[in-house]
Amino acid sequence: MNGVTNVDAKLARKVWKAVSETEYVPNRHAQALISGRTRLIGLLVPDIMNPFFPELIHGFEQAATAQGFGILIGSTHDVASETEDWARRMLEHGVEGLALLTFKEEDPHLYDLLKKTPMVQIEAGKTPDGPEIIAVDYETGIRQAVQHLAALGHRDIVFAAGSPDNFTAELRRTCFRKAMREIGIVVTNAIFDEDHTLEGGIAAANKILGRKILPTAMICSNDLMAIGALKILHSRGLDVPKDMSLIGLDDIHLAEFTSPPLTTVRIPRTQLAEACFDLLFRKLRPYEDAPTRQIVSTYLVIRESTGFPPHALQAAPAKGKARL
């Protein structure tokens, strides 16, 4: 049953016949007591209700299952005490490693708690000791988003950002400023801070619509914000993209099914999840060379929520007979 190859084939058939007839299921707890291994990995995310994270979990679970591991999942609600409580529970269940998919630097107490546990993390404000960070390259995707809008003729572009104290939101905010400078625009009053939720997108859109002159395009720090903004734009009678172009970030599955389908910066979740598991799996096998810091890039997915700015296609007054 353990896949040993030097067992007599006739005997093996008898064993498997008995397993089938009795519907025998191995006791993993008993096996763990003997082997000292649970083959369990802990997985912590900040918000299980955000559609981005179930998709990320799915990719991680598939990678773990392929190597014979199970996973325990905890949702921390972005609260330090809950994160530490979940980590303790998982250690009590004997997890062999932990993946922090919380996209931020955690409390130092948590790193102290986990210093003897193999760990990987997506992003952090300050890199902990060791090569356990998976970084996300937002700059490439956000630059593509800004250049896509600029190529369409947009210059008045605003950014609906996440919370000012959110590390990931600050990374994305910085990338937006840099991308705008690259097209010759210095950002002054074009960033609207809220949070990475539907409600955050609604609040940001309401602020933006309060401007005397409406921007022609809006980029949101994640897809949930973009979907919230889309609702407000529709409720105010504005057409997307005719009156305002809209871009999200993440490319959650739902982004394809909004009306119109959302142009967005894609974070390749399967690649990100596999990179996290691969790094953790190598840390669980110390005889393998551990990789250095890994980076997962982003890219723009163009759908139907972006277009030319209003009036861009109006014909100039004719000065003579046009030739076709």
PDB file of all heavy atoms in Angstrom, residues 149-188:
ATOM      1  N   LEU A 149      -4.050  52.731 -22.037  1.00  0.00           N
ATOM      2  CA  LEU A 149      -4.951  53.882 -21.988  1.00  0.00           C
ATOM      3  C   LEU A 149      -4.360  55.070 -22.734  1.00  0.00           C
ATOM      4  O   LEU A 149      -5.067  55.783 -23.459  1.00  0.00           O
ATOM      5  CB  LEU A 149      -5.235  54.256 -20.528  1.00  0.00           C
ATOM      6  CG  LEU A 149      -6.069  53.247 -19.728  1.00  0.00           C
ATOM      7  CD1 LEU A 149      -6.106  53.625 -18.259  1.00  0.00           C
ATOM      8  CD2 LEU A 149      -7.481  53.129 -20.288  1.00  0.00           C
ATOM      9  N   ALA A 150      -3.050  55.288 -22.578  1.00  0.00           N
ATOM     10  CA  ALA A 150      -2.399  56.404 -23.268  1.00  0.00           C
ATOM     11  C   ALA A 150      -2.479  56.232 -24.780  1.00  0.00           C
ATOM     12  O   ALA A 150      -2.704  57.201 -25.518  1.00  0.00           O
ATOM     13  CB  ALA A 150      -0.947  56.515 -22.819  1.00  0.00           C
ATOM     14  N   ALA A 151      -2.323  54.996 -25.242  1.00  0.00           N
ATOM     15  CA  ALA A 151      -2.395  54.730 -26.682  1.00  0.00           C
ATOM     16  C   ALA A 151      -3.793  55.000 -27.230  1.00  0.00           C
ATOM     17  O   ALA A 151      -3.949  55.372 -28.405  1.00  0.00           O
ATOM     18  CB  ALA A 151      -1.989  53.287 -26.964  1.00  0.00           C
ATOM     19  N   LEU A 152      -4.810  54.835 -26.374  1.00  0.00           N
ATOM     20  CA  LEU A 152      -6.184  55.127 -26.784  1.00  0.00           C
ATOM     21  C   LEU A 152      -6.472  56.626 -26.778  1.00  0.00           C
ATOM     22  O   LEU A 152      -7.494  57.065 -27.310  1.00  0.00           O
ATOM     23  CB  LEU A 152      -7.166  54.419 -25.855  1.00  0.00           C
ATOM     24  CG  LEU A 152      -7.237  52.889 -25.967  1.00  0.00           C
ATOM     25  CD1 LEU A 152      -8.052  52.305 -24.819  1.00  0.00           C
ATOM     26  CD2 LEU A 152      -7.825  52.469 -27.310  1.00  0.00           C
ATOM     27  N   GLY A 153      -5.582  57.407 -26.155  1.00  0.00           N
ATOM     28  CA  GLY A 153      -5.758  58.854 -26.117  1.00  0.00           C
ATOM     29  C   GLY A 153      -6.072  59.419 -24.750  1.00  0.00           C
ATOM     30  O   GLY A 153      -6.302  60.621 -24.602  1.00  0.00           O
ATOM     31  N   HIS A 154      -6.065  58.598 -23.722  1.00  0.00           N
ATOM     32  CA  HIS A 154      -6.379  59.070 -22.362  1.00  0.00           C
ATOM     33  C   HIS A 154      -5.177  59.779 -21.750  1.00  0.00           C
ATOM     34  O   HIS A 154      -4.032  59.325 -21.876  1.00  0.00           O
ATOM     35  CB  HIS A 154      -6.777  57.894 -21.470  1.00  0.00           C
ATOM     36  CG  HIS A 154      -8.049  57.224 -21.872  1.00  0.00           C
ATOM     37  ND1 HIS A 154      -9.285  57.668 -21.466  1.00  0.00           N
ATOM     38  CD2 HIS A 154      -8.273  56.131 -22.658  1.00  0.00           C
ATOM     39  CE1 HIS A 154     -10.233  56.877 -21.974  1.00  0.00           C
ATOM     40  NE2 HIS A 154      -9.637  55.940 -22.706  1.00  0.00           N
ATOM     41  N   ARG A 155      -5.463  60.875 -21.042  1.00  0.00           N
ATOM     42  CA  ARG A 155      -4.434  61.563 -20.266  1.00  0.00           C
ATOM     43  C   ARG A 155      -4.913  61.812 -18.831  1.00  0.00           C
ATOM     44  O   ARG A 155      -4.109  61.852 -17.910  1.00  0.00           O
ATOM     45  CB  ARG A 155      -4.062  62.896 -20.934  1.00  0.00           C
ATOM     46  CG  ARG A 155      -3.286  62.736 -22.228  1.00  0.00           C
ATOM     47  CD  ARG A 155      -1.951  62.039 -22.005  1.00  0.00           C
ATOM     48  NE  ARG A 155      -1.175  61.870 -23.231  1.00  0.00           N
ATOM     49  CZ  ARG A 155      -1.271  60.817 -24.041  1.00  0.00           C
ATOM     50  NH1 ARG A 155      -2.126  59.839 -23.759  1.00  0.00           N
ATOM     51  NH2 ARG A 155      -0.528  60.728 -25.122  1.00  0.00           N
ATOM     52  N   ASP A 156      -6.207  61.991 -18.664  1.00  0.00           N
ATOM     53  CA  ASP A 156      -6.764  62.206 -17.322  1.00  0.00           C
ATOM     54  C   ASP A 156      -7.138  60.841 -16.742  1.00  0.00           C
ATOM     55  O   ASP A 156      -8.269  60.372 -16.867  1.00  0.00           O
ATOM     56  CB  ASP A 156      -7.981  63.131 -17.395  1.00  0.00           C
ATOM     57  CG  ASP A 156      -8.411  63.619 -16.008  1.00  0.00           C
ATOM     58  OD1 ASP A 156      -7.815  63.164 -15.005  1.00  0.00           O
ATOM     59  OD2 ASP A 156      -9.340  64.430 -15.927  1.00  0.00           O
ATOM     60  N   ILE A 157      -6.158  60.197 -16.122  1.00  0.00           N
ATOM     61  CA  ILE A 157      -6.313  58.838 -15.599  1.00  0.00           C
ATOM     62  C   ILE A 157      -6.198  58.884 -14.079  1.00  0.00           C
ATOM     63  O   ILE A 157      -5.244  59.469 -13.543  1.00  0.00           O
ATOM     64  CB  ILE A 157      -5.225  57.897 -16.169  1.00  0.00           C
ATOM     65  CG1 ILE A 157      -5.231  57.932 -17.704  1.00  0.00           C
ATOM     66  CG2 ILE A 157      -5.415  56.475 -15.652  1.00  0.00           C
ATOM     67  CD1 ILE A 157      -4.009  57.271 -18.343  1.00  0.00           C
ATOM     68  N   VAL A 158      -7.151  58.293 -13.377  1.00  0.00           N
ATOM     69  CA  VAL A 158      -7.100  58.265 -11.912  1.00  0.00           C
ATOM     70  C   VAL A 158      -6.898  56.833 -11.436  1.00  0.00           C
ATOM     71  O   VAL A 158      -7.104  55.869 -12.181  1.00  0.00           O
ATOM     72  CB  VAL A 158      -8.386  58.854 -11.294  1.00  0.00           C
ATOM     73  CG1 VAL A 158      -8.514  60.323 -11.644  1.00  0.00           C
ATOM     74  CG2 VAL A 158      -9.619  58.071 -11.732  1.00  0.00           C
ATOM     75  N   PHE A 159      -6.493  56.726 -10.169  1.00  0.00           N
ATOM     76  CA  PHE A 159      -6.195  55.411  -9.584  1.00  0.00           C
ATOM     77  C   PHE A 159      -6.968  55.256  -8.283  1.00  0.00           C
ATOM     78  O   PHE A 159      -6.815  56.057  -7.359  1.00  0.00           O
ATOM     79  CB  PHE A 159      -4.691  55.293  -9.323  1.00  0.00           C
ATOM     80  CG  PHE A 159      -4.246  53.911  -8.917  1.00  0.00           C
ATOM     81  CD1 PHE A 159      -4.237  52.865  -9.832  1.00  0.00           C
ATOM     82  CD2 PHE A 159      -3.823  53.656  -7.626  1.00  0.00           C
ATOM     83  CE1 PHE A 159      -3.814  51.594  -9.476  1.00  0.00           C
ATOM     84  CE2 PHE A 159      -3.387  52.392  -7.248  1.00  0.00           C
ATOM     85  CZ  PHE A 159      -3.390  51.359  -8.178  1.00  0.00           C
ATOM     86  N   ALA A 160      -7.828  54.231  -8.219  1.00  0.00           N
ATOM     87  CA  ALA A 160      -8.538  53.883  -6.995  1.00  0.00           C
ATOM     88  C   ALA A 160      -7.662  52.897  -6.232  1.00  0.00           C
ATOM     89  O   ALA A 160      -7.533  51.737  -6.629  1.00  0.00           O
ATOM     90  CB  ALA A 160      -9.905  53.282  -7.306  1.00  0.00           C
ATOM     91  N   ALA A 161      -7.040  53.376  -5.158  1.00  0.00           N
ATOM     92  CA  ALA A 161      -6.031  52.592  -4.457  1.00  0.00           C
ATOM     93  C   ALA A 161      -6.613  51.915  -3.227  1.00  0.00           C
ATOM     94  O   ALA A 161      -7.708  52.246  -2.767  1.00  0.00           O
ATOM     95  CB  ALA A 161      -4.864  53.485  -4.052  1.00  0.00           C
ATOM     96  N   GLY A 162      -5.837  50.967  -2.686  1.00  0.00           N
ATOM     97  CA  GLY A 162      -6.213  50.326  -1.438  1.00  0.00           C
ATOM     98  C   GLY A 162      -5.851  51.206  -0.255  1.00  0.00           C
ATOM     99  O   GLY A 162      -5.449  52.365  -0.398  1.00  0.00           O
ATOM    100  N   SER A 163      -5.962  50.640   0.925  1.00  0.00           N
ATOM    101  CA  SER A 163      -5.709  51.377   2.159  1.00  0.00           C
ATOM    102  C   SER A 163      -4.266  51.886   2.206  1.00  0.00           C
ATOM    103  O   SER A 163      -3.343  51.184   1.789  1.00  0.00           O
ATOM    104  CB  SER A 163      -5.981  50.461   3.354  1.00  0.00           C
ATOM    105  OG  SER A 163      -5.560  51.070   4.551  1.00  0.00           O
ATOM    106  N   PRO A 164      -4.048  53.103   2.719  1.00  0.00           N
ATOM    107  CA  PRO A 164      -2.686  53.664   2.772  1.00  0.00           C
ATOM    108  C   PRO A 164      -1.708  52.830   3.599  1.00  0.00           C
ATOM    109  O   PRO A 164      -0.503  52.884   3.360  1.00  0.00           O
ATOM    110  CB  PRO A 164      -2.899  55.044   3.418  1.00  0.00           C
ATOM    111  CG  PRO A 164      -4.335  55.364   3.185  1.00  0.00           C
ATOM    112  CD  PRO A 164      -5.059  54.061   3.189  1.00  0.00           C
ATOM    113  N   ASP A 165      -2.210  52.067   4.575  1.00  0.00           N
ATOM    114  CA  ASP A 165      -1.312  51.266   5.410  1.00  0.00           C
ATOM    115  C   ASP A 165      -1.173  49.831   4.915  1.00  0.00           C
ATOM    116  O   ASP A 165      -0.609  48.981   5.601  1.00  0.00           O
ATOM    117  CB  ASP A 165      -1.785  51.275   6.868  1.00  0.00           C
ATOM    118  CG  ASP A 165      -3.191  50.720   7.036  1.00  0.00           C
ATOM    119  OD1 ASP A 165      -3.822  50.374   6.008  1.00  0.00           O
ATOM    120  OD2 ASP A 165      -3.665  50.621   8.191  1.00  0.00           O
ATOM    121  N   ASN A 166      -1.697  49.545   3.714  1.00  0.00           N
ATOM    122  CA  ASN A 166      -1.599  48.209   3.136  1.00  0.00           C
ATOM    123  C   ASN A 166      -0.368  48.161   2.230  1.00  0.00           C
ATOM    124  O   ASN A 166      -0.251  48.931   1.276  1.00  0.00           O
ATOM    125  CB  ASN A 166      -2.872  47.887   2.348  1.00  0.00           C
ATOM    126  CG  ASN A 166      -2.866  46.499   1.744  1.00  0.00           C
ATOM    127  OD1 ASN A 166      -2.102  46.212   0.827  1.00  0.00           O
ATOM    128  ND2 ASN A 166      -3.733  45.630   2.235  1.00  0.00           N
ATOM    129  N   PHE A 167       0.552  47.231   2.523  1.00  0.00           N
ATOM    130  CA  PHE A 167       1.826  47.174   1.793  1.00  0.00           C
ATOM    131  C   PHE A 167       1.611  46.918   0.305  1.00  0.00           C
ATOM    132  O   PHE A 167       2.213  47.569  -0.554  1.00  0.00           O
ATOM    133  CB  PHE A 167       2.722  46.096   2.405  1.00  0.00           C
ATOM    134  CG  PHE A 167       4.001  45.883   1.643  1.00  0.00           C
ATOM    135  CD1 PHE A 167       4.992  46.844   1.641  1.00  0.00           C
ATOM    136  CD2 PHE A 167       4.211  44.721   0.925  1.00  0.00           C
ATOM    137  CE1 PHE A 167       6.170  46.660   0.922  1.00  0.00           C
ATOM    138  CE2 PHE A 167       5.383  44.522   0.212  1.00  0.00           C
ATOM    139  CZ  PHE A 167       6.367  45.498   0.220  1.00  0.00           C
ATOM    140  N   THR A 168       0.734  45.964  -0.029  1.00  0.00           N
ATOM    141  CA  THR A 168       0.471  45.651  -1.433  1.00  0.00           C
ATOM    142  C   THR A 168      -0.138  46.843  -2.151  1.00  0.00           C
ATOM    143  O   THR A 168       0.216  47.151  -3.296  1.00  0.00           O
ATOM    144  CB  THR A 168      -0.460  44.438  -1.540  1.00  0.00           C
ATOM    145  OG1 THR A 168       0.187  43.305  -0.979  1.00  0.00           O
ATOM    146  CG2 THR A 168      -0.808  44.131  -2.990  1.00  0.00           C
ATOM    147  N   ALA A 169      -1.076  47.527  -1.483  1.00  0.00           N
ATOM    148  CA  ALA A 169      -1.694  48.708  -2.079  1.00  0.00           C
ATOM    149  C   ALA A 169      -0.647  49.779  -2.371  1.00  0.00           C
ATOM    150  O   ALA A 169      -0.689  50.442  -3.407  1.00  0.00           O
ATOM    151  CB  ALA A 169      -2.780  49.257  -1.159  1.00  0.00           C
ATOM    152  N   GLU A 170       0.324  49.944  -1.467  1.00  0.00           N
ATOM    153  CA  GLU A 170       1.375  50.945  -1.672  1.00  0.00           C
ATOM    154  C   GLU A 170       2.266  50.560  -2.847  1.00  0.00           C
ATOM    155  O   GLU A 170       2.680  51.420  -3.641  1.00  0.00           O
ATOM    156  CB  GLU A 170       2.203  51.111  -0.397  1.00  0.00           C
ATOM    157  CG  GLU A 170       3.324  52.135  -0.518  1.00  0.00           C
ATOM    158  CD  GLU A 170       2.832  53.510  -0.946  1.00  0.00           C
ATOM    159  OE1 GLU A 170       1.687  53.892  -0.621  1.00  0.00           O
ATOM    160  OE2 GLU A 170       3.609  54.210  -1.637  1.00  0.00           O
ATOM    161  N   LEU A 171       2.567  49.274  -2.999  1.00  0.00           N
ATOM    162  CA  LEU A 171       3.342  48.830  -4.160  1.00  0.00           C
ATOM    163  C   LEU A 171       2.625  49.201  -5.453  1.00  0.00           C
ATOM    164  O   LEU A 171       3.234  49.728  -6.397  1.00  0.00           O
ATOM    165  CB  LEU A 171       3.536  47.309  -4.115  1.00  0.00           C
ATOM    166  CG  LEU A 171       4.587  46.734  -3.174  1.00  0.00           C
ATOM    167  CD1 LEU A 171       4.565  45.203  -3.254  1.00  0.00           C
ATOM    168  CD2 LEU A 171       5.971  47.251  -3.524  1.00  0.00           C
ATOM    169  N   ARG A 172       1.330  48.931  -5.506  1.00  0.00           N
ATOM    170  CA  ARG A 172       0.559  49.198  -6.723  1.00  0.00           C
ATOM    171  C   ARG A 172       0.437  50.702  -6.973  1.00  0.00           C
ATOM    172  O   ARG A 172       0.505  51.161  -8.119  1.00  0.00           O
ATOM    173  CB  ARG A 172      -0.827  48.537  -6.601  1.00  0.00           C
ATOM    174  CG  ARG A 172      -0.725  47.030  -6.462  1.00  0.00           C
ATOM    175  CD  ARG A 172      -2.068  46.356  -6.196  1.00  0.00           C
ATOM    176  NE  ARG A 172      -1.874  44.912  -5.969  1.00  0.00           N
ATOM    177  CZ  ARG A 172      -2.863  44.044  -5.807  1.00  0.00           C
ATOM    178  NH1 ARG A 172      -4.123  44.445  -5.838  1.00  0.00           N
ATOM    179  NH2 ARG A 172      -2.598  42.768  -5.617  1.00  0.00           N
ATOM    180  N   ARG A 173       0.287  51.468  -5.911  1.00  0.00           N
ATOM    181  CA  ARG A 173       0.204  52.924  -6.010  1.00  0.00           C
ATOM    182  C   ARG A 173       1.513  53.488  -6.585  1.00  0.00           C
ATOM    183  O   ARG A 173       1.503  54.336  -7.477  1.00  0.00           O
ATOM    184  CB  ARG A 173      -0.055  53.484  -4.603  1.00  0.00           C
ATOM    185  CG  ARG A 173      -0.564  54.902  -4.551  1.00  0.00           C
ATOM    186  CD  ARG A 173      -0.754  55.352  -3.106  1.00  0.00           C
ATOM    187  NE  ARG A 173      -1.876  54.709  -2.457  1.00  0.00           N
ATOM    188  CZ  ARG A 173      -1.777  53.799  -1.477  1.00  0.00           C
ATOM    189  NH1 ARG A 173      -0.581  53.411  -1.039  1.00  0.00           N
ATOM    190  NH2 ARG A 173      -2.853  53.272  -0.936  1.00  0.00           N
ATOM    191  N   THR A 174       2.626  52.983  -6.089  1.00  0.00           N
ATOM    192  CA  THR A 174       3.938  53.430  -6.561  1.00  0.00           C
ATOM    193  C   THR A 174       4.135  53.084  -8.038  1.00  0.00           C
ATOM    194  O   THR A 174       4.661  53.897  -8.814  1.00  0.00           O
ATOM    195  CB  THR A 174       5.053  52.774  -5.723  1.00  0.00           C
ATOM    196  OG1 THR A 174       4.893  53.158  -4.352  1.00  0.00           O
ATOM    197  CG2 THR A 174       6.427  53.188  -6.203  1.00  0.00           C
ATOM    198  N   CYS A 175       3.712  51.890  -8.430  1.00  0.00           N
ATOM    199  CA  CYS A 175       3.832  51.474  -9.840  1.00  0.00           C
ATOM    200  C   CYS A 175       2.992  52.361 -10.745  1.00  0.00           C
ATOM    201  O   CYS A 175       3.408  52.691 -11.870  1.00  0.00           O
ATOM    202  CB  CYS A 175       3.416  50.016  -9.998  1.00  0.00           C
ATOM    203  SG  CYS A 175       4.548  48.838  -9.236  1.00  0.00           S
ATOM    204  N   PHE A 176       1.813  52.777 -10.275  1.00  0.00           N
ATOM    205  CA  PHE A 176       0.962  53.666 -11.064  1.00  0.00           C
ATOM    206  C   PHE A 176       1.646  55.014 -11.275  1.00  0.00           C
ATOM    207  O   PHE A 176       1.699  55.537 -12.395  1.00  0.00           O
ATOM    208  CB  PHE A 176      -0.385  53.860 -10.365  1.00  0.00           C
ATOM    209  CG  PHE A 176      -1.259  54.915 -11.005  1.00  0.00           C
ATOM    210  CD1 PHE A 176      -1.881  54.666 -12.218  1.00  0.00           C
ATOM    211  CD2 PHE A 176      -1.437  56.153 -10.394  1.00  0.00           C
ATOM    212  CE1 PHE A 176      -2.680  55.644 -12.820  1.00  0.00           C
ATOM    213  CE2 PHE A 176      -2.229  57.124 -10.979  1.00  0.00           C
ATOM    214  CZ  PHE A 176      -2.846  56.879 -12.198  1.00  0.00           C
ATOM    215  N   ARG A 177       2.179  55.578 -10.188  1.00  0.00           N
ATOM    216  CA  ARG A 177       2.871  56.871 -10.315  1.00  0.00           C
ATOM    217  C   ARG A 177       4.022  56.784 -11.329  1.00  0.00           C
ATOM    218  O   ARG A 177       4.202  57.672 -12.166  1.00  0.00           O
ATOM    219  CB  ARG A 177       3.422  57.310  -8.954  1.00  0.00           C
ATOM    220  CG  ARG A 177       2.385  57.776  -7.949  1.00  0.00           C
ATOM    221  CD  ARG A 177       3.068  58.504  -6.807  1.00  0.00           C
ATOM    222  NE  ARG A 177       2.129  58.871  -5.762  1.00  0.00           N
ATOM    223  CZ  ARG A 177       1.932  58.162  -4.652  1.00  0.00           C
ATOM    224  NH1 ARG A 177       2.638  57.039  -4.457  1.00  0.00           N
ATOM    225  NH2 ARG A 177       1.076  58.555  -3.744  1.00  0.00           N
ATOM    226  N   LYS A 178       4.807  55.716 -11.221  1.00  0.00           N
ATOM    227  CA  LYS A 178       5.957  55.559 -12.118  1.00  0.00           C
ATOM    228  C   LYS A 178       5.504  55.414 -13.567  1.00  0.00           C
ATOM    229  O   LYS A 178       6.084  56.025 -14.479  1.00  0.00           O
ATOM    230  CB  LYS A 178       6.771  54.332 -11.704  1.00  0.00           C
ATOM    231  CG  LYS A 178       8.007  54.119 -12.549  1.00  0.00           C
ATOM    232  CD  LYS A 178       8.843  52.938 -12.059  1.00  0.00           C
ATOM    233  CE  LYS A 178      10.078  52.742 -12.913  1.00  0.00           C
ATOM    234  NZ  LYS A 178      10.883  51.576 -12.463  1.00  0.00           N
ATOM    235  N   ALA A 179       4.454  54.612 -13.795  1.00  0.00           N
ATOM    236  CA  ALA A 179       3.954  54.411 -15.160  1.00  0.00           C
ATOM    237  C   ALA A 179       3.425  55.715 -15.745  1.00  0.00           C
ATOM    238  O   ALA A 179       3.590  55.981 -16.947  1.00  0.00           O
ATOM    239  CB  ALA A 179       2.874  53.336 -15.169  1.00  0.00           C
ATOM    240  N   MET A 180       2.788  56.537 -14.919  1.00  0.00           N
ATOM    241  CA  MET A 180       2.277  57.824 -15.400  1.00  0.00           C
ATOM    242  C   MET A 180       3.432  58.765 -15.743  1.00  0.00           C
ATOM    243  O   MET A 180       3.373  59.491 -16.745  1.00  0.00           O
ATOM    244  CB  MET A 180       1.368  58.445 -14.340  1.00  0.00           C
ATOM    245  CG  MET A 180       0.054  57.698 -14.141  1.00  0.00           C
ATOM    246  SD  MET A 180      -1.063  57.827 -15.559  1.00  0.00           S
ATOM    247  CE  MET A 180      -1.693  59.494 -15.344  1.00  0.00           C
ATOM    248  N   ARG A 181       4.498  58.751 -14.928  1.00  0.00           N
ATOM    249  CA  ARG A 181       5.660  59.582 -15.251  1.00  0.00           C
ATOM    250  C   ARG A 181       6.260  59.182 -16.590  1.00  0.00           C
ATOM    251  O   ARG A 181       6.742  60.029 -17.349  1.00  0.00           O
ATOM    252  CB  ARG A 181       6.724  59.465 -14.150  1.00  0.00           C
ATOM    253  CG  ARG A 181       6.401  60.205 -12.870  1.00  0.00           C
ATOM    254  CD  ARG A 181       7.651  60.408 -12.015  1.00  0.00           C
ATOM    255  NE  ARG A 181       8.296  59.158 -11.677  1.00  0.00           N
ATOM    256  CZ  ARG A 181       8.012  58.424 -10.607  1.00  0.00           C
ATOM    257  NH1 ARG A 181       7.067  58.826  -9.777  1.00  0.00           N
ATOM    258  NH2 ARG A 181       8.670  57.305 -10.358  1.00  0.00           N
ATOM    259  N   GLU A 182       6.228  57.885 -16.882  1.00  0.00           N
ATOM    260  CA  GLU A 182       6.806  57.391 -18.135  1.00  0.00           C
ATOM    261  C   GLU A 182       6.044  57.890 -19.358  1.00  0.00           C
ATOM    262  O   GLU A 182       6.599  57.916 -20.462  1.00  0.00           O
ATOM    263  CB  GLU A 182       6.852  55.856 -18.120  1.00  0.00           C
ATOM    264  CG  GLU A 182       7.897  55.304 -17.142  1.00  0.00           C
ATOM    265  CD  GLU A 182       7.821  53.792 -17.003  1.00  0.00           C
ATOM    266  OE1 GLU A 182       6.889  53.183 -17.567  1.00  0.00           O
ATOM    267  OE2 GLU A 182       8.697  53.218 -16.324  1.00  0.00           O
ATOM    268  N   ILE A 183       4.770  58.284 -19.185  1.00  0.00           N
ATOM    269  CA  ILE A 183       4.029  58.857 -20.324  1.00  0.00           C
ATOM    270  C   ILE A 183       3.979  60.383 -20.213  1.00  0.00           C
ATOM    271  O   ILE A 183       3.203  61.044 -20.896  1.00  0.00           O
ATOM    272  CB  ILE A 183       2.606  58.273 -20.454  1.00  0.00           C
ATOM    273  CG1 ILE A 183       1.740  58.607 -19.236  1.00  0.00           C
ATOM    274  CG2 ILE A 183       2.659  56.775 -20.689  1.00  0.00           C
ATOM    275  CD1 ILE A 183       0.254  58.308 -19.436  1.00  0.00           C
ATOM    276  N   GLY A 184       4.808  60.927 -19.303  1.00  0.00           N
ATOM    277  CA  GLY A 184       4.949  62.375 -19.214  1.00  0.00           C
ATOM    278  C   GLY A 184       3.967  63.065 -18.307  1.00  0.00           C
ATOM    279  O   GLY A 184       3.770  64.284 -18.417  1.00  0.00           O
ATOM    280  N   ILE A 185       3.329  62.339 -17.388  1.00  0.00           N
ATOM    281  CA  ILE A 185       2.330  62.941 -16.496  1.00  0.00           C
ATOM    282  C   ILE A 185       2.753  62.736 -15.046  1.00  0.00           C
ATOM    283  O   ILE A 185       3.018  61.613 -14.621  1.00  0.00           O
ATOM    284  CB  ILE A 185       0.934  62.322 -16.721  1.00  0.00           C
ATOM    285  CG1 ILE A 185       0.469  62.583 -18.165  1.00  0.00           C
ATOM    286  CG2 ILE A 185      -0.079  62.884 -15.722  1.00  0.00           C
ATOM    287  CD1 ILE A 185      -0.814  61.874 -18.531  1.00  0.00           C
ATOM    288  N   VAL A 186       2.825  63.844 -14.304  1.00  0.00           N
ATOM    289  CA  VAL A 186       3.117  63.777 -12.871  1.00  0.00           C
ATOM    290  C   VAL A 186       1.802  63.695 -12.118  1.00  0.00           C
ATOM    291  O   VAL A 186       0.935  64.567 -12.270  1.00  0.00           O
ATOM    292  CB  VAL A 186       3.934  65.000 -12.410  1.00  0.00           C
ATOM    293  CG1 VAL A 186       4.164  64.946 -10.900  1.00  0.00           C
ATOM    294  CG2 VAL A 186       5.265  65.059 -13.154  1.00  0.00           C
ATOM    295  N   VAL A 187       1.630  62.665 -11.308  1.00  0.00           N
ATOM    296  CA  VAL A 187       0.381  62.454 -10.574  1.00  0.00           C
ATOM    297  C   VAL A 187       0.331  63.383  -9.379  1.00  0.00           C
ATOM    298  O   VAL A 187       1.255  63.418  -8.558  1.00  0.00           O
ATOM    299  CB  VAL A 187       0.279  60.977 -10.109  1.00  0.00           C
ATOM    300  CG1 VAL A 187      -0.927  60.790  -9.202  1.00  0.00           C
ATOM    301  CG2 VAL A 187       0.194  60.059 -11.315  1.00  0.00           C
ATOM    302  N   THR A 188      -0.761  64.157  -9.284  1.00  0.00           N
ATOM    303  CA  THR A 188      -0.938  65.032  -8.118  1.00  0.00           C
ATOM    304  C   THR A 188      -2.206  64.654  -7.358  1.00  0.00           C
ATOM    305  O   THR A 188      -2.143  64.103  -6.262  1.00  0.00           O
ATOM    306  CB  THR A 188      -0.981  66.506  -8.551  1.00  0.00           C
ATOM    307  OG1 THR A 188      -1.959  66.667  -9.595  1.00  0.00           O
ATOM    308  CG2 THR A 188       0.383  66.959  -9.048  1.00  0.00           C
TER     309      THR A 188
END
